[in-house]
Amino acid sequence: MSTAQGKVKLPIYLDNSSTTPVDPRVLETMVPYFTNVFGNAASRNHSFGWSAEDAVDTARDQIASLIGSSAKEIIFTSGATESNNLAIKGVFEMYAQNGNHIISVETEHKAVIDTCLHVEKLGAEITFLKVNEKGLINLDELKAAIKPNTILISIMYANNEIGVIQPIREIAEIAKQAGVLFHTDATQAVGKIPVDVIADGIHLMSFTAHKMYGPKGVGALYVRRKNPRVKVTAQIDGGGHERGMRSGTLNVPGIVGFGKAAELCEQDMEKDTARVGALRDRLEAELTTIEESYVNGSIEHRLPHVANISFTYVEGEGLMMGVKDLAVSSGSACTSASLEPSYVLKALGLDDELAHSSLRFGLSRFTTDEEIDFAIECVKTAVYKLRDMSPLWEMFKDGIDLKKIEWQEH
Ligand SMILES: *Cc1c(COP(=O)(O)O)cnc(C)c1O
């Protein structure tokens, strides 16, 4: 570790799938909108309002350009959680006369799963599709799940824990053939890989600024305006902003930052992907030289900047302690104050132990070579040290099949 230490500032942030820092170029663009240009974008009677509205229009254009939509199809929200709520609850209410069945997937973000469970209590029928060991859905199962009362398919673009990209265009085609709306939570994909709502056949799409170097607290729902024209029932009522689908005074500085972040992502995507993807590949190649380490999720259908790796015979809490110089996520989801293994990893078929001893690395455009050098050394050291102390590892090395041992129950 001596080679890399000194050059890097600890801890190293490798949790960019949770949130990214705001790009300084984004912040710079936002600042005037807190003080000088502070108007309400809905004020029609004076220049303060017009200036704010102009800034929002610019941001709408920047965001629309990134996803290949028209500016009018962007509905600003407080983030992807709200966008998912608006999409699912909004479709459930707006299209109630067409049916009540919604299809989603068991590895979705909680903002989709819990919203589905909420509308289930209100009379919706929900099908959660399973995924295979690579984290991918089966398209035949999707087709088979569609019924005459199906109104919505909600399937994420890319997964937030393992980075796996679902076959979006094929899903969209199936939805189109069946005359069912297709919503995708594209929070992890937008800004990182090319996303085009027309080419991809998406009807509704959630995404958020703070996962793409913009500020927290601002997101968007893309709602298609033609072929077909989609509408959602507002979940927040009031002044009728955002074409009546989401009321509330617009977060002008946040939206300006979101717009700038979108512009930078569009401009730098190829360059960022090439560099960050190479760093991820190097990190993964090095860490998988560790015996009994496994990459979780499809290798081919995956975001370029994410790696999720499990290390057998390593205890989860010990692993997190061992890598405390790295800000990473573990395969344990902190739900209701108890440490539960990640439901996403369990859906891939990992047992509780292996899920706990998994690490998610999310790289960003700010991740450096030196940071990856350090991370590699840090994880290797931690895993080797824990295994040196592990009787299970010793037994494994002695060729004892641990799955066949009958443990004493207490
Ligand atoms: C982060 C995330 C969300 C939540 O976004 P917020 O803007 O924080 O509400 C939803 N879905 C996915 C896939 C995410 O990664």
Side-chain angles (χ1 to χ4, degrees):
M1 221 172 286
S2 53
T3 48
Q5 223 163 13
K7 283 189 200 165
V8 294
K9 194 166 154 281
L10 301 179
I12 294 167
Y13 189 71
L14 290 173
D15 200 17
N16 289 282
S17 305
S18 292
T19 194
T20 54
V22 170
D23 190 299
R25 296 168 290 179
V26 168
L27 178 63
E28 197 188 342
T29 315
M30 291 172 67
V31 168
Y33 293 90
F34 288 101
T35 50
N36 298 339
V37 199
F38 60 84
N40 185 326
S43 298
R44 292 282 150 80
N45 301 318
H46 50 71
S47 63
F48 294 85
W50 304 331
S51 302
E53 196 189 13
D54 282 348
V56 169
D57 286 345
T58 301
R60 234 186 259 284
D61 287 339
Q62 290 165 320
I63 293 162
S65 170
L66 177 65
I67 64 165
S69 76
S70 83
K72 284 185 180 153
E73 295 173 311
I74 304 295
I75 305 298
F76 286 118
T77 66
S78 64
T81 298
E82 187 190 330
S83 299
N84 287 335
N85 272 261
L86 177 56
I88 294 166
K89 294 175 182 172
V91 165
F92 174 66
E93 289 182 17
M94 183 61 75
Y95 296 89
Q97 77 278 13
N98 296 0
N100 66 340
H101 181 226
I102 297 171
I103 300 171
S104 192
V105 181
E106 58 180 1
T107 51
E108 291 290 314
H109 191 272
K110 285 288 181 192
V112 166
I113 293 183
D114 287 354
T115 304
C116 285
L117 295 177
H118 181 98
V119 293
E120 189 174 41
K121 287 200 205 112
L122 303 176
E125 195 187 322
I126 312 287
T127 302
F128 287 112
L129 300 173
K130 297 208 174 309
V131 295
N132 65 14
E133 72 289 348
K134 293 180 170 179
L136 291 162
I137 65 153
N138 179 313
L139 294 169
D140 292 328
E141 278 171 30
L142 170 61
K143 275 185 213 154
I146 297 174
K147 305 192 289 185
N149 63 334
T150 306
I151 51 172
L152 179 69
I153 295 171
S154 178
I155 296 181
M156 71 198 324
Y157 210 114
N159 185 270
N160 47 297
E161 289 192 34
I162 51 181
V164 166
I165 300 170
Q166 297 292 353
I168 292 298
R169 292 190 182 184
E170 288 82 352
I171 294 167
E173 188 55 34
I174 291 168
K176 186 179 165 190
Q177 294 302 326
V180 170
L181 291 176
F182 174 38
H183 164 250
T184 186
D185 177 353
T187 305
Q188 294 288 338
V190 170
K192 313 293 170 50
I193 57 172
V195 170
D196 183 310
V197 289
I198 301 300
D200 291 346
I202 295 162
H203 299 135
L204 298 124
M205 183 170 81
S206 305
F207 52 114
T208 195
H210 78 95
K211 305 269 174 94
M212 47 185 272
Y213 313 103
K216 293 168 184 59
V218 57
L221 181 66
Y222 158 78
V223 182
R224 192 185 272 244
R225 261 164 61 91
K226 56 176 195 248
N227 306 318
R229 184 179 180 85
V230 180
K231 288 195 87 178
V232 291
T233 305
Q235 300 302 307
I236 296 181
D237 297 305
H241 308 73
E242 299 300 273
R243 293 170 48 219
M245 288 188 250
R246 204 281 193 175
S247 288
T249 300
L250 291 179
N251 169 5
V252 177
I255 289 168
V256 165
F258 192 5
K260 184 66 184 178
E263 183 189 75
L264 293 173
C265 283
E266 188 175 355
Q267 184 185 298
D268 295 350
M269 189 178 292
E270 250 176 82
K271 183 177 77 154
D272 283 348
T273 297
R275 195 188 67 85
V276 181
L279 286 182
R280 190 281 307 269
D281 290 347
R282 187 159 69 81
L283 174 73
E284 197 165 272
E286 284 291 335
L287 294 186
T288 49
T289 62
I290 297 174
E291 249 181 291
E292 292 293 307
S293 60
Y294 301 94
V295 175
N296 294 312
S298 165
I299 303 283
E300 305 100 54
H301 306 285
R302 198 164 51 135
L303 293 172
H305 58 287
V306 177
N308 189 311
I309 308 177
S310 298
F311 306 93
T312 57
Y313 310 112
V314 167
E315 189 261 323
E317 263 174 88
L319 182 60
M320 284 310 281
M321 285 292 289
V323 299
K324 65 180 177 353
D325 284 335
L326 308 179
V328 291
S329 283
S330 74
S332 312
C334 278
T335 48
S336 61
S338 73
L339 265 190
E340 294 205 351
S342 146
Y343 66 93
V344 172
L345 295 179
K346 288 195 76 171
L348 305 194
L350 272 70
D351 62 24
D352 288 11
E353 258 71 33
L354 199 51
H356 279 304
S357 62
S358 305
L359 297 175
R360 176 186 72 178
F361 304 88
L363 283 61
S364 84
R365 69 163 68 118
F366 302 111
T367 306
T368 65
D369 271 300
E370 290 76 20
E371 288 176 331
I372 292 302
D373 291 338
F374 185 92
I376 290 165
E377 285 307 307
C378 180
V379 175
K380 282 185 177 175
T381 306
V383 171
Y384 291 144
K385 200 162 135 195
L386 288 165
R387 283 186 180 165
D388 273 348
M389 302 186 308
S390 161
L392 291 179
W393 178 248
E394 201 171 317
M395 287 162 79
F396 168 77
K397 294 300 278 180
D398 288 342
I400 298 167
D401 187 347
L402 292 159
K403 295 261 184 307
K404 295 222 175 91
I405 294 178
E406 294 198 14
W407 301 100
Q408 205 83 39
E409 295 268 2
H410 289 285

